[in-house]
Coordinates of all heavy atoms in Angstrom, one line a residue:
L700 N 0.9 -0.3 -18.2 CA 1.5 1.0 -18.7 C 2.3 0.7 -19.9 O 2.3 1.5 -20.8 CB 2.3 1.7 -17.6 CG 2.8 3.0 -17.9 CD1 1.7 4.0 -18.2 CD2 3.7 3.5 -16.8
G701 N 3.1 -0.3 -19.9 CA 3.9 -0.6 -21.0 C 3.1 -0.9 -22.3 O 3.5 -0.5 -23.4
Q702 N 2.0 -1.6 -22.2 CA 1.2 -1.8 -23.3 C 0.6 -0.6 -24.0 O 0.6 -0.5 -25.2 CB 0.0 -2.8 -23.0 CG 0.5 -4.2 -22.7 CD -0.7 -5.1 -22.3 OE1 -1.6 -4.6 -21.7 NE2 -0.6 -6.3 -22.6
A703 N 0.3 0.4 -23.1 CA -0.3 1.7 -23.7 C 0.8 2.4 -24.4 O 0.5 3.0 -25.5 CB -0.8 2.5 -22.5
V704 N 2.0 2.4 -24.0 CA 3.1 3.0 -24.7 C 3.4 2.4 -26.0 O 3.6 3.0 -27.0 CB 4.4 3.0 -23.8 CG1 5.6 3.6 -24.6 CG2 4.2 3.9 -22.5
V705 N 3.4 1.0 -26.0 CA 3.7 0.3 -27.3 C 2.5 0.5 -28.3 O 2.8 0.7 -29.5 CB 3.9 -1.2 -27.0 CG1 4.0 -2.0 -28.2 CG2 5.2 -1.4 -26.2
V706 N 1.3 0.6 -27.8 CA 0.2 0.8 -28.7 C 0.3 2.2 -29.3 O 0.1 2.5 -30.5 CB -1.2 0.7 -28.0 CG1 -2.3 1.3 -28.8 CG2 -1.5 -0.8 -27.7
G707 N 0.8 3.2 -28.5 CA 1.1 4.5 -29.0 C 2.1 4.5 -30.1 O 1.9 5.2 -31.2
Y708 N 3.2 3.8 -29.9 CA 4.2 3.7 -31.0 C 3.7 3.0 -32.2 O 4.0 3.3 -33.3 CB 5.4 2.9 -30.5 CG 6.3 3.7 -29.5 CD1 6.8 3.2 -28.3 CD2 6.7 5.0 -29.8 CE1 7.6 3.9 -27.5 CE2 7.5 5.8 -29.0 CZ 7.9 5.2 -27.8 OH 8.7 5.9 -27.0
L709 N 2.8 2.0 -32.0 CA 2.2 1.2 -33.1 C 1.3 2.1 -33.9 O 1.3 2.1 -35.2 CB 1.5 0.0 -32.6 CG 1.1 -1.1 -33.6 CD1 2.4 -1.6 -34.4 CD2 0.4 -2.2 -32.9
I710 N 0.5 3.0 -33.2 CA -0.3 3.9 -33.9 C 0.5 4.9 -34.7 O 0.2 5.3 -35.8 CB -1.3 4.6 -32.9 CG1 -2.3 3.6 -32.4 CG2 -2.0 5.8 -33.5 CD1 -3.2 4.1 -31.3
D711 N 1.6 5.4 -34.1 CA 2.5 6.4 -34.8 C 3.1 5.7 -36.0 O 3.2 6.4 -37.1 CB 3.6 6.8 -33.9 CG 3.1 7.8 -32.8 OD1 2.0 8.4 -33.0 OD2 3.9 8.0 -31.8
Y712 N 3.4 4.5 -35.9 CA 3.9 3.7 -37.1 C 2.9 3.7 -38.3 O 3.3 4.0 -39.4 CB 4.3 2.3 -36.7 CG 4.6 1.4 -37.9 CD1 5.8 1.5 -38.6 CD2 3.7 0.4 -38.2 CE1 6.1 0.7 -39.6 CE2 4.0 -0.4 -39.3 CZ 5.2 -0.3 -40.0 OH 5.4 -1.1 -41.0
F713 N 1.7 3.4 -38.0 CA 0.7 3.4 -39.0 C 0.3 4.8 -39.5 O 0.0 5.0 -40.6 CB -0.6 2.6 -38.6 CG -0.3 1.1 -38.6 CD1 -0.5 0.4 -37.4 CD2 0.0 0.4 -39.7 CE1 -0.3 -1.0 -37.4 CE2 0.1 -0.9 -39.7 CZ 0.0 -1.6 -38.5
H714 N 0.4 5.7 -38.6 CA 0.0 7.1 -39.0 C 1.1 7.7 -39.9 O 0.7 8.5 -40.8 CB -0.1 8.0 -37.7 CG -0.6 9.4 -38.0 ND1 0.3 10.4 -38.2 CD2 -1.8 9.8 -38.1 CE1 -0.4 11.5 -38.4 NE2 -1.7 11.2 -38.3
D715 N 2.3 7.3 -39.8 CA 3.4 7.8 -40.6 C 3.5 7.1 -42.0 O 4.4 7.3 -42.7 CB 4.7 7.7 -39.9 CG 4.8 8.6 -38.7 OD1 4.1 9.6 -38.7 OD2 5.6 8.3 -37.8
G716 N 2.6 6.2 -42.2 CA 2.6 5.5 -43.5 C 2.9 4.0 -43.4 O 2.7 3.3 -44.4
G717 N 3.5 3.5 -42.4 CA 3.7 2.1 -42.1 C 4.8 1.5 -43.0 O 4.7 0.4 -43.5
K718 N 5.9 2.3 -43.2 CA 7.0 1.8 -44.0 C 8.1 1.2 -43.1 O 8.4 1.8 -42.1 CB 7.6 2.9 -44.9 CG 6.6 3.4 -45.9 CD 7.1 4.4 -46.8 CE 6.0 4.8 -47.8 NZ 6.0 6.1 -48.2
G719 N 8.7 0.1 -43.5 CA 9.8 -0.5 -42.8 C 9.2 -1.6 -41.9 O 8.0 -1.9 -41.9
G720 N 10.1 -2.3 -41.2 CA 9.7 -3.5 -40.5 C 9.5 -3.2 -39.0 O 9.4 -4.1 -38.2
I721 N 9.6 -1.9 -38.6 CA 9.5 -1.6 -37.2 C 8.1 -1.9 -36.6 O 7.9 -2.2 -35.4 CB 9.9 -0.2 -36.9 CG1 10.2 0.1 -35.4 CG2 8.8 0.8 -37.3 CD1 11.5 -0.4 -35.0
G722 N 7.1 -2.0 -37.5 CA 5.7 -2.3 -37.0 C 5.6 -3.7 -36.5 O 4.9 -3.9 -35.5
Y723 N 6.4 -4.6 -37.1 CA 6.4 -6.0 -36.6 C 7.0 -6.1 -35.2 O 6.6 -6.8 -34.3 CB 7.2 -6.9 -37.5 CG 6.5 -7.1 -38.8 CD1 7.0 -6.6 -40.0 CD2 5.3 -7.9 -38.9 CE1 6.3 -6.8 -41.2 CE2 4.6 -8.1 -40.1 CZ 5.1 -7.6 -41.2 OH 4.5 -7.8 -42.4
L724 N 8.0 -5.2 -35.0 CA 8.7 -5.2 -33.7 C 7.7 -4.7 -32.6 O 7.6 -5.3 -31.5 CB 9.9 -4.2 -33.7 CG 10.6 -4.0 -32.3 CD1 11.3 -5.2 -31.9 CD2 11.5 -2.8 -32.4
W725 N 6.9 -3.6 -32.9 CA 5.9 -3.1 -32.0 C 4.8 -4.1 -31.7 O 4.3 -4.3 -30.6 CB 5.4 -1.8 -32.4 CG 6.4 -0.7 -32.4 CD1 6.7 0.2 -33.4 CD2 7.2 -0.3 -31.3 NE1 7.7 1.0 -33.0 CE2 8.1 0.8 -31.7 CE3 7.4 -0.7 -30.0 CZ2 9.0 1.4 -30.9 CZ3 8.4 -0.1 -29.2 CH2 9.1 0.9 -29.7
A726 N 4.4 -4.8 -32.8 CA 3.3 -5.8 -32.6 C 3.8 -7.0 -31.8 O 3.1 -7.5 -30.9 CB 2.8 -6.2 -34.0
G727 N 5.0 -7.4 -32.0 CA 5.6 -8.5 -31.2 C 5.8 -8.1 -29.8 O 5.5 -8.9 -28.9
T728 N 6.2 -6.9 -29.6 CA 6.4 -6.4 -28.2 C 5.0 -6.3 -27.5 O 4.9 -6.7 -26.3 CB 7.0 -5.0 -28.2 OG1 8.3 -5.1 -28.9 CG2 7.3 -4.5 -26.8
L729 N 4.0 -5.9 -28.2 CA 2.7 -5.8 -27.6 C 2.2 -7.2 -27.2 O 1.6 -7.4 -26.2 CB 1.7 -5.2 -28.6 CG 0.3 -4.9 -28.1 CD1 0.3 -3.9 -26.9 CD2 -0.6 -4.3 -29.2
A730 N 2.4 -8.2 -28.1 CA 2.0 -9.6 -27.8 C 2.8 -10.1 -26.6 O 2.2 -10.8 -25.7 CB 2.2 -10.5 -29.0
L731 N 4.1 -9.8 -26.5 CA 4.9 -10.3 -25.4 C 4.4 -9.7 -24.1 O 4.3 -10.4 -23.1 CB 6.4 -9.9 -25.7 CG 7.4 -10.4 -24.6 CD1 7.4 -11.9 -24.5 CD2 8.7 -9.8 -24.9
L732 N 4.1 -8.4 -24.1 CA 3.6 -7.7 -22.9 C 2.3 -8.3 -22.5 O 2.0 -8.4 -21.3 CB 3.6 -6.2 -23.1 CG 4.9 -5.5 -23.2 CD1 4.7 -4.0 -23.5 CD2 5.6 -5.6 -21.9
G733 N 1.4 -8.6 -23.4 CA 0.2 -9.3 -23.1 C 0.3 -10.6 -22.5 O -0.4 -11.0 -21.5
F734 N 1.3 -11.4 -22.9 CA 1.6 -12.7 -22.3 C 2.1 -12.5 -20.9 O 1.7 -13.2 -20.0 CB 2.6 -13.4 -23.2 CG 3.0 -14.7 -22.6 CD1 2.2 -15.8 -22.6 CD2 4.3 -14.9 -22.0 CE1 2.6 -17.0 -22.0 CE2 4.7 -16.1 -21.4 CZ 3.8 -17.2 -21.5
I735 N 3.0 -11.6 -20.7 CA 3.6 -11.3 -19.4 C 2.5 -10.9 -18.4 O 2.4 -11.3 -17.3 CB 4.7 -10.3 -19.5 CG1 5.9 -10.9 -20.2 CG2 5.1 -9.8 -18.1 CD1 7.0 -9.9 -20.5
T736 N 1.6 -10.0 -18.9 CA 0.5 -9.5 -18.0 C -0.4 -10.7 -17.6 O -0.8 -10.8 -16.5 CB -0.3 -8.5 -18.8 OG1 0.5 -7.4 -19.1 CG2 -1.5 -8.0 -17.9
T737 N -0.7 -11.6 -18.6 CA -1.5 -12.8 -18.3 C -0.9 -13.7 -17.3 O -1.5 -14.2 -16.3 CB -1.8 -13.5 -19.6 OG1 -2.5 -12.7 -20.5 CG2 -2.7 -14.7 -19.3
F738 N 0.4 -13.9 -17.4 CA 1.2 -14.7 -16.5 C 1.2 -14.1 -15.1 O 1.0 -14.8 -14.1 CB 2.6 -14.9 -17.0 CG 3.5 -15.8 -16.1 CD1 3.2 -17.1 -16.0 CD2 4.5 -15.2 -15.3 CE1 4.0 -17.9 -15.2 CE2 5.2 -16.0 -14.5 CZ 5.0 -17.4 -14.4
C739 N 1.4 -12.8 -15.0 CA 1.4 -12.2 -13.7 C 0.0 -12.2 -13.0 O -0.1 -12.3 -11.8 CB 1.9 -10.7 -13.8 SG 3.7 -10.6 -14.2
D740 N -1.0 -12.1 -13.8 CA -2.4 -12.1 -13.2 C -2.7 -13.5 -12.7 O -3.4 -13.7 -11.7 CB -3.4 -11.7 -14.3 CG -3.5 -10.2 -14.5 OD1 -2.9 -9.5 -13.7 OD2 -4.1 -9.8 -15.5
T741 N -2.2 -14.5 -13.4 CA -2.4 -15.9 -12.9 C -1.7 -16.1 -11.6 O -2.3 -16.7 -10.7 CB -1.8 -16.9 -13.9 OG1 -2.4 -16.7 -15.2 CG2 -2.1 -18.3 -13.5
I742 N -0.5 -15.6 -11.4 CA 0.2 -15.7 -10.1 C -0.5 -15.0 -9.0 O -0.7 -15.5 -7.9 CB 1.7 -15.2 -10.3 CG1 2.5 -16.2 -11.2 CG2 2.3 -15.1 -8.9 CD1 3.8 -15.6 -11.5
H743 N -1.1 -13.8 -9.4 CA -1.8 -13.0 -8.4 C -3.1 -13.8 -8.0 O -3.4 -13.8 -6.8 CB -2.2 -11.7 -9.0 CG -3.0 -10.8 -8.2 ND1 -4.4 -10.8 -8.2 CD2 -2.6 -9.9 -7.2 CE1 -4.8 -9.9 -7.3 NE2 -3.8 -9.4 -6.7
F744 N -3.8 -14.4 -8.9 CA -5.0 -15.2 -8.6 C -4.7 -16.3 -7.7 O -5.4 -16.6 -6.7 CB -5.6 -15.7 -9.9 CG -6.7 -16.6 -9.6 CD1 -8.0 -16.2 -9.2 CD2 -6.6 -18.0 -9.9 CE1 -9.0 -17.1 -8.9 CE2 -7.6 -18.9 -9.6 CZ -8.8 -18.4 -9.2
E745 N -3.6 -17.0 -7.9 CA -3.2 -18.2 -7.1 C -2.9 -17.8 -5.7 O -3.3 -18.4 -4.7 CB -2.1 -19.0 -7.7 CG -2.4 -19.7 -9.0 CD -3.5 -20.8 -8.7 OE1 -3.4 -21.5 -7.7 OE2 -4.3 -21.0 -9.6
T746 N -2.1 -16.7 -5.5 CA -1.8 -16.3 -4.1 C -3.1 -15.8 -3.4 O -3.2 -16.0 -2.2 CB -0.7 -15.2 -4.1 OG1 -1.2 -14.1 -4.9 CG2 0.6 -15.7 -4.7
Y747 N -4.0 -15.1 -4.1 CA -5.2 -14.6 -3.5 C -6.1 -15.8 -3.1 O -6.7 -15.8 -2.0 CB -5.9 -13.7 -4.4 CG -7.1 -13.0 -3.8 CD1 -6.9 -12.0 -2.9 CD2 -8.4 -13.4 -4.1 CE1 -8.0 -11.3 -2.3 CE2 -9.5 -12.7 -3.5 CZ -9.3 -11.7 -2.6 OH -10.3 -11.1 -2.0
R748 N -6.1 -16.8 -3.9 CA -6.9 -18.0 -3.6 C -6.3 -18.7 -2.3 O -7.1 -19.2 -1.5 CB -6.8 -19.0 -4.8 CG -7.6 -20.2 -4.6 CD -7.6 -21.0 -5.9 NE -8.3 -22.3 -5.7 CZ -7.8 -23.5 -5.8 NH1 -6.5 -23.6 -6.1 NH2 -8.5 -24.5 -5.6
K749 N -5.0 -18.8 -2.2 CA -4.4 -19.4 -1.0 C -4.7 -18.6 0.2 O -5.0 -19.1 1.3 CB -2.9 -19.6 -1.2 CG -2.5 -20.6 -2.1 CD -2.9 -22.0 -1.6 CE -2.6 -23.0 -2.7 NZ -3.2 -24.3 -2.4
G750 N -4.7 -17.2 0.1 CA -5.1 -16.4 1.2 C -6.5 -16.6 1.6 O -6.8 -16.6 2.8
I751 N -7.4 -16.8 0.7 CA -8.8 -17.0 1.0 C -9.0 -18.4 1.7 O -9.7 -18.5 2.7 CB -9.7 -17.0 -0.3 CG1 -9.8 -15.6 -0.9 CG2 -11.1 -17.5 0.0 CD1 -10.5 -14.6 0.0
Q752 N -8.2 -19.4 1.3 CA -8.3 -20.7 2.0 C -7.7 -20.6 3.4 O -8.3 -21.2 4.3 CB -7.5 -21.7 1.2 CG -8.1 -22.1 -0.1 CD -7.2 -23.0 -1.0 OE1 -6.0 -23.1 -0.7 NE2 -7.8 -23.7 -2.0
L753 N -6.7 -19.8 3.6 CA -6.1 -19.6 4.9 C -7.2 -18.9 5.8 O -7.3 -19.2 7.0 CB -4.8 -18.8 4.9 CG -3.6 -19.6 4.4 CD1 -2.4 -18.6 4.2 CD2 -3.3 -20.7 5.4
R754 N -7.8 -17.9 5.2 CA -8.8 -17.1 6.0 C -10.0 -18.0 6.4 O -10.4 -17.9 7.6 CB -9.3 -15.9 5.1 CG -10.3 -15.1 5.7 CD -10.8 -14.0 4.8 NE -11.7 -13.2 5.5 CZ -12.9 -12.8 5.0 NH1 -13.2 -13.2 3.8 NH2 -13.7 -12.1 5.8
L755 N -10.5 -18.8 5.5 CA -11.6 -19.7 5.9 C -11.2 -20.7 7.0 O -12.0 -20.9 7.9 CB -12.1 -20.4 4.6 CG -12.8 -19.5 3.6 CD1 -13.2 -20.3 2.4 CD2 -14.1 -18.9 4.3
G756 N -10.0 -21.2 6.9 CA -9.5 -22.1 7.9 C -9.4 -21.5 9.2 O -9.7 -22.0 10.3
M757 N -8.9 -20.2 9.2 CA -8.7 -19.5 10.5 C -10.1 -19.1 11.1 O -10.3 -19.2 12.3 CB -7.9 -18.2 10.2 CG -7.7 -17.3 11.4 SD -6.6 -18.1 12.6 CE -5.1 -17.7 11.9
M758 N -11.0 -18.7 10.2 CA -12.4 -18.4 10.7 C -13.0 -19.6 11.4 O -13.7 -19.5 12.4 CB -13.3 -17.9 9.6 CG -13.0 -16.5 9.2 SD -14.1 -15.8 8.0 CE -15.6 -15.8 8.8
Y759 N -12.9 -20.8 10.7 CA -13.4 -22.0 11.3 C -12.8 -22.4 12.7 O -13.5 -22.7 13.6 CB -13.2 -23.2 10.3 CG -13.6 -24.5 10.9 CD1 -15.0 -24.8 11.1 CD2 -12.7 -25.4 11.4 CE1 -15.4 -26.0 11.6 CE2 -13.1 -26.6 11.9 CZ -14.4 -26.9 12.1 OH -14.8 -28.1 12.6
A760 N -11.5 -22.2 12.7 CA -10.8 -22.5 14.0 C -11.2 -21.6 15.1 O -11.5 -22.0 16.2 CB -9.3 -22.5 13.8
I761 N -11.3 -20.3 14.8 CA -11.7 -19.3 15.8 C -13.1 -19.5 16.3 O -13.5 -19.5 17.4 CB -11.5 -17.9 15.3 CG1 -10.0 -17.6 15.2 CG2 -12.1 -16.9 16.2 CD1 -9.7 -16.2 14.5
Y762 N -14.0 -19.8 15.3 CA -15.4 -20.0 15.6 C -15.6 -21.2 16.5 O -16.3 -21.2 17.5 CB -16.2 -20.1 14.3 CG -17.7 -20.2 14.6 CD1 -18.5 -19.1 14.9 CD2 -18.3 -21.4 14.5 CE1 -19.8 -19.2 15.2 CE2 -19.7 -21.6 14.7 CZ -20.4 -20.5 15.1 OH -21.8 -20.6 15.3
S763 N -15.0 -22.3 16.1 CA -15.2 -23.6 16.8 C -14.6 -23.5 18.2 O -15.2 -24.0 19.2 CB -14.6 -24.8 16.1 OG -13.2 -24.6 15.9
K764 N -13.5 -22.8 18.3 CA -12.9 -22.6 19.7 C -13.7 -21.7 20.5 O -13.9 -21.9 21.7 CB -11.5 -22.0 19.5 CG -10.6 -22.1 20.7 CD -10.2 -23.5 20.9 CE -8.8 -23.6 21.5 NZ -8.5 -24.9 22.0
A765 N -14.2 -20.6 19.9 CA -15.0 -19.6 20.7 C -16.4 -20.2 21.2 O -16.9 -19.8 22.2 CB -15.3 -18.4 19.9
T766 N -16.9 -21.1 20.4 CA -18.2 -21.7 20.8 C -18.0 -22.7 21.9 O -19.0 -23.0 22.6 CB -18.9 -22.3 19.6 OG1 -18.1 -23.3 19.0 CG2 -19.4 -21.3 18.6
M767 N -16.8 -23.2 22.1 CA -16.6 -24.2 23.2 C -16.2 -23.6 24.5 O -16.1 -24.2 25.5 CB -15.5 -25.2 22.7 CG -15.9 -26.1 21.6 SD -14.6 -27.2 21.3 CE -15.1 -27.9 19.7
L768 N -15.8 -22.3 24.5 CA -15.4 -21.6 25.7 C -16.5 -21.5 26.6 O -17.6 -21.1 26.2 CB -14.8 -20.2 25.3 CG -13.5 -20.2 24.6 CD1 -13.1 -18.8 24.2 CD2 -12.4 -20.8 25.4
P769 N -16.3 -21.6 27.9 CA -17.4 -21.4 28.9 C -17.6 -19.9 29.0 O -16.7 -19.1 29.0 CB -16.8 -22.0 30.2 CG -15.3 -22.0 30.0 CD -15.1 -22.1 28.6
S770 N -18.8 -19.6 29.2 CA -19.2 -18.1 29.3 C -18.9 -17.6 30.7 O -19.0 -18.4 31.7 CB -20.6 -17.9 28.9 OG -21.5 -18.6 29.8
V771 N -18.6 -16.4 30.8 CA -18.3 -15.8 32.1 C -19.6 -15.5 32.9 O -19.7 -15.8 34.1 CB -17.5 -14.5 31.9 CG1 -17.3 -13.8 33.3 CG2 -16.2 -14.8 31.2
Q772 N -20.6 -15.0 32.2 CA -21.9 -14.6 32.9 C -22.9 -15.7 32.8 O -24.1 -15.5 33.2 CB -22.4 -13.4 32.2 CG -21.5 -12.2 32.3 CD -22.0 -11.0 31.5 OE1 -22.9 -11.2 30.6 NE2 -21.4 -9.9 31.7
G773 N -22.6 -16.9 32.3 CA -23.6 -18.0 32.3 C -24.3 -18.0 31.0 O -25.1 -19.0 30.7
T774 N -24.2 -17.0 30.1 CA -24.8 -17.1 28.8 C -23.7 -17.1 27.7 O -22.7 -16.5 27.9 CB -25.7 -15.8 28.6 OG1 -24.9 -14.6 28.7 CG2 -26.8 -15.8 29.6
A775 N -24.0 -17.7 26.7 CA -23.1 -17.8 25.6 C -23.0 -16.5 24.8 O -24.0 -15.8 24.7 CB -23.5 -18.9 24.6
P776 N -21.9 -16.1 24.3 CA -21.8 -14.9 23.5 C -22.6 -15.0 22.2 O -22.7 -16.1 21.7 CB -20.3 -14.7 23.2 CG -19.7 -16.0 23.4 CD -20.6 -16.8 24.4
P777 N -23.1 -13.9 21.7 CA -23.8 -14.0 20.4 C -23.0 -14.5 19.3 O -21.8 -14.2 19.2 CB -24.3 -12.6 20.2 CG -23.9 -11.8 21.3 CD -23.0 -12.6 22.2
R778 N -23.5 -15.4 18.5 CA -22.8 -16.0 17.4 C -22.4 -15.0 16.4 O -21.3 -15.1 15.8 CB -23.6 -17.1 16.7 CG -24.0 -18.2 17.7 CD -23.8 -19.5 17.2 NE -24.4 -20.6 18.0 CZ -23.7 -21.2 19.0 NH1 -22.5 -20.8 19.3 NH2 -24.3 -22.1 19.7
G779 N -23.2 -14.0 16.1 CA -22.8 -12.9 15.2 C -21.6 -12.2 15.6 O -20.7 -11.8 14.8
K780 N -21.4 -11.9 16.9 CA -20.2 -11.2 17.4 C -19.0 -12.1 17.2 O -17.9 -11.6 16.9 CB -20.4 -10.9 18.9 CG -19.3 -10.1 19.5 CD -19.7 -9.6 20.9 CE -18.6 -8.7 21.4 NZ -18.9 -8.1 22.7
I781 N -19.1 -13.4 17.4 CA -18.0 -14.3 17.2 C -17.6 -14.3 15.8 O -16.4 -14.2 15.4 CB -18.4 -15.8 17.7 CG1 -18.6 -15.8 19.2 CG2 -17.3 -16.7 17.3 CD1 -19.1 -17.1 19.7
I782 N -18.5 -14.4 14.9 CA -18.2 -14.4 13.4 C -17.6 -13.1 13.0 O -16.6 -13.0 12.2 CB -19.5 -14.6 12.6 CG1 -20.0 -16.1 12.8 CG2 -19.3 -14.4 11.1 CD1 -21.3 -16.4 12.2
N783 N -18.1 -12.0 13.6 CA -17.5 -10.7 13.2 C -16.0 -10.6 13.7 O -15.1 -10.1 13.0 CB -18.3 -9.5 13.9 CG -17.9 -8.2 13.4 OD1 -17.3 -8.0 12.3 ND2 -18.2 -7.2 14.1
L784 N -15.7 -11.0 14.9 CA -14.4 -11.0 15.4 C -13.5 -11.9 14.6 O -12.3 -11.6 14.3 CB -14.3 -11.4 16.9 CG -14.9 -10.4 17.9 CD1 -15.0 -11.1 19.3 CD2 -14.1 -9.2 17.9
A785 N -14.0 -13.1 14.3 CA -13.2 -14.1 13.5 C -12.9 -13.5 12.1 O -11.8 -13.7 11.5 CB -13.9 -15.4 13.4
S786 N -13.9 -12.9 11.5 CA -13.7 -12.3 10.2 C -12.7 -11.2 10.2 O -11.9 -11.1 9.3 CB -15.1 -11.8 9.7 OG -14.9 -11.2 8.4
N787 N -12.8 -10.3 11.2 CA -11.8 -9.2 11.2 C -10.4 -9.7 11.4 O -9.4 -9.2 10.8 CB -12.2 -8.2 12.3 CG -13.4 -7.5 12.0 OD1 -13.8 -7.3 10.8 ND2 -14.1 -7.0 13.0
D788 N -10.2 -10.7 12.3 CA -8.9 -11.2 12.6 C -8.3 -12.0 11.4 O -7.1 -11.9 11.1 CB -8.9 -12.1 13.8 CG -9.1 -11.3 15.1 OD1 -8.9 -10.1 15.0 OD2 -9.5 -12.0 16.1
S789 N -9.1 -12.7 10.7 CA -8.6 -13.6 9.6 C -8.5 -12.8 8.3 O -7.8 -13.3 7.4 CB -9.5 -14.8 9.4 OG -10.8 -14.4 9.1
E790 N -9.1 -11.6 8.2 CA -8.9 -10.8 6.9 C -7.5 -10.4 6.7 O -7.0 -10.3 5.6 CB -9.8 -9.6 7.0 CG -9.7 -8.7 5.8 CD -10.3 -9.3 4.6 OE1 -11.1 -10.2 4.6 OE2 -9.8 -8.9 3.5
R791 N -6.7 -10.3 7.8 CA -5.3 -9.9 7.6 C -4.5 -11.0 6.9 O -3.6 -10.7 6.2 CB -4.7 -9.7 9.0 CG -5.3 -8.5 9.7 CD -4.6 -8.2 11.0 NE -5.3 -7.0 11.6 CZ -5.8 -7.1 12.8 NH1 -5.7 -8.2 13.5 NH2 -6.4 -6.0 13.3
L792 N -4.9 -12.3 7.1 CA -4.2 -13.4 6.3 C -4.5 -13.2 4.8 O -3.6 -13.4 4.0 CB -4.7 -14.7 6.8 CG -4.2 -15.2 8.1 CD1 -4.9 -16.5 8.5 CD2 -2.7 -15.4 8.1
C793 N -5.7 -12.9 4.5 CA -6.0 -12.8 3.0 C -5.2 -11.6 2.4 O -4.7 -11.7 1.3 CB -7.5 -12.6 2.9 SG -8.1 -12.5 1.2
M794 N -5.2 -10.5 3.1 CA -4.5 -9.3 2.6 C -3.0 -9.6 2.6 O -2.3 -9.1 1.7 CB -4.8 -8.1 3.4 CG -6.3 -7.7 3.3 SD -6.9 -7.5 1.6 CE -6.0 -6.1 1.1
A795 N -2.5 -10.3 3.6 CA -1.0 -10.6 3.6 C -0.6 -11.5 2.5 O 0.5 -11.4 2.0 CB -0.7 -11.2 4.9
S796 N -1.5 -12.3 2.0 CA -1.1 -13.2 0.9 C -0.9 -12.4 -0.4 O -0.2 -12.9 -1.3 CB -2.2 -14.3 0.7 OG -3.3 -13.7 0.2
L797 N -1.5 -11.3 -0.5 CA -1.4 -10.5 -1.8 C 0.0 -9.8 -1.8 O 0.5 -9.6 -2.9 CB -2.4 -9.4 -1.8 CG -3.9 -9.9 -2.1 CD1 -4.8 -8.7 -2.0 CD2 -4.0 -10.6 -3.4
Y798 N 0.6 -9.5 -0.7 CA 1.8 -8.8 -0.6 C 3.0 -9.6 -0.2 O 4.1 -9.1 0.0 CB 1.7 -7.5 0.3 CG 0.5 -6.7 -0.1 CD1 -0.6 -6.6 0.6 CD2 0.6 -5.9 -1.3 CE1 -1.7 -5.8 0.2 CE2 -0.5 -5.1 -1.7 CZ -1.6 -5.1 -1.0 OH -2.6 -4.3 -1.4
A799 N 2.8 -10.9 0.0 CA 3.9 -11.8 0.4 C 4.8 -12.2 -0.7 O 4.5 -12.1 -1.9 CB 3.3 -13.0 1.1

C-alpha cells in the first residue's frame, strides 16, 4: 500500500512540472519500500518452508505409526484414509508457521 501512495506522489511531481528535488525523495522512498517488501517476502518464504518441512515430518510419523497399529476387525485400514487423516492433522502446522 505504501508503494502505491509513493508512486502517486511521484506521478504528481512529474505532472506538476518536476521542479525541485522532492522527486529524488519520492524515488528513494519507493526504492526503500521495494527493498523492505523484498526482505519481508524472504522471511515469509522461510517460515512457510519450515512449516512445510514440519508438515511432511508429521505426516510421515502419523503414517508409519498408523500402519503398524493392529487392526480391530482383522483388516488393515485403507491407506488413503490414513493419508487423509495425516494430511488434515498436519496442515495445521503449516498454517501455524505463517502466523507464528
Side-chain angles (χ1 to χ4, degrees):
L700 182 64
Q702 287 178 329
V704 172
V705 172
V706 167
Y708 286 133
L709 195 58
I710 290 172
D711 286 342
Y712 167 75
F713 285 118
H714 187 267
D715 293 338
K718 295 183 178 147
I721 195 81
Y723 291 112
L724 174 71
W725 293 126
T728 304
L729 186 63
L731 180 66
L732 288 174
F734 177 74
I735 291 171
T736 302
T737 302
F738 181 71
C739 290
D740 284 345
T741 303
I742 292 172
H743 179 266
F744 171 73
E745 289 297 323
T746 57
Y747 189 72
R748 182 173 178 244
K749 290 296 177 190
I751 292 291
Q752 289 174 345
L753 287 172
R754 179 178 182 231
L755 289 175
M757 179 69 79
M758 283 183 66
Y759 173 74
I761 292 172
Y762 182 78
S763 63
K764 195 70 146 172
T766 54
M767 291 182 195
L768 291 174
S770 62
V771 176
Q772 299 171 347
T774 60
R778 303 228 188 266
K780 187 172 184 178
I781 294 171
I782 291 173
N783 190 21
L784 290 172
S786 177
N787 290 338
D788 290 342
S789 61
E790 179 65 24
R791 293 185 185 125
L792 284 175
C793 184
M794 296 308 291
S796 70
L797 291 176
Y798 303 110

